[in-house]
Amino acid sequence: MSATIMANSPARYFEDLDRVLFDQQTIRERIAEMGAAISSDYLGREVVIITVLQGGILFMADLIREIDLPMQIDSISVASYHGGTESSGKVTFQQKQIPDVEGKEVIVLDDILDSGRTLAAIVEKLKKEGMPNSIRTAVLLSKQIERAVPIEADYYGFEIGEEFVVGYGLDYAGRYRNLPVVGVLKKEKIGSTP
Ligand code: IMP
Ligand code: MG
């Protein structure tokens, strides 16, 4: 294999992990349970699943295939992290128009709930400007920290500690999203170019 291919492959990225928290099989099984819970909670209704870009795309792709309901999908683009491991504390909406949610049963997905600012800002904006019939949230990971704003996800996959994680959609400086597992990045990788 050429050096270029090696440098860009997920296998190369694995070496940057201190440890794997959730492997592919574990994630798949938990998402199947979440999909089953959503399918039963919304039985007989149609839902709109809105994922937060970019981090929520893998979670959305896997979760929607475990939901047995009529649905539409959409996305919303926000930024709260600006390259590092610390949130800027400010949520910026990067789209002029929000998804059409009027009168709909909305479930907003994100990769992780950390300070809570991102999900809270999205829920507030969709409620205020979109007039959905209902709105709930689902995240793959819920960090067990004190939130900056009072919000908990209606559905979550796993609870984790305060560590900075990557993979399965989660990035560090835009990288590692394609890792099929969730893992803790080696300390020495933070601050260096992956
Ligand atoms: P919150 O607004 O602080 O809840 O942060 C949510 C956003 O921050 C998520 O959508 C992630 O993009 C990002 N984030 C929070 N914690 C981590 C982490 O441990 N690794 C990678 N991204 C994270
Ligand atoms: Mg994100």
Side-chain angles (χ1 to χ4, degrees), residues 63-188:
L63 181 66
I64 61 173
R65 287 178 285 179
E66 301 290 347
I67 298 176
D68 187 15
L69 296 170
M71 73 161 70
Q72 295 179 326
I73 62 169
D74 214 324
S75 61
I76 194 157
S77 186
V78 298
S80 61
Y81 265 68
H82 297 280
T85 61
E86 293 298 319
S87 169
S88 67
K90 201 176 140 241
V91 179
T92 323
F93 288 84
Q94 298 180 312
Q95 278 156 308
K96 282 206 188 82
Q97 254 189 319
I98 60 161
D100 174 20
V101 296
E102 195 176 333
K104 298 180 178 174
E105 319 297 340
V106 177
I107 308 174
V108 180
L109 309 186
D110 203 359
D111 47 11
I112 191 166
L113 180 64
D114 187 9
S115 75
R117 288 192 190 96
T118 305
L119 268 191
I122 292 170
V123 168
E124 195 189 304
K125 194 172 175 83
L126 289 177
K127 269 188 188 163
K128 214 165 86 186
E129 298 175 19
M131 295 194 294
N133 191 48
S134 71
I135 184 158
R136 283 189 184 166
T137 55
V139 294
L140 181 71
L141 305 172
S142 176
K143 264 191 196 175
Q144 293 310 287
I145 58 157
E146 205 180 314
R147 312 253 182 257
V149 291
I151 182 169
E152 289 306 327
D154 296 292
Y155 305 93
Y156 68 87
F158 307 99
E159 291 184 333
I160 63 164
E162 218 173 323
E163 58 253 301
F164 190 78
V165 293
V166 294
Y168 200 81
L170 292 139
D171 73 303
Y172 171 63
R175 308 264 158 62
Y176 302 105
R177 294 194 197 275
N178 55 327
L179 274 180
V181 304
V182 172
V184 178
L185 198 57
K186 281 181 179 159
K187 284 243 158 48
E188 66 261 29

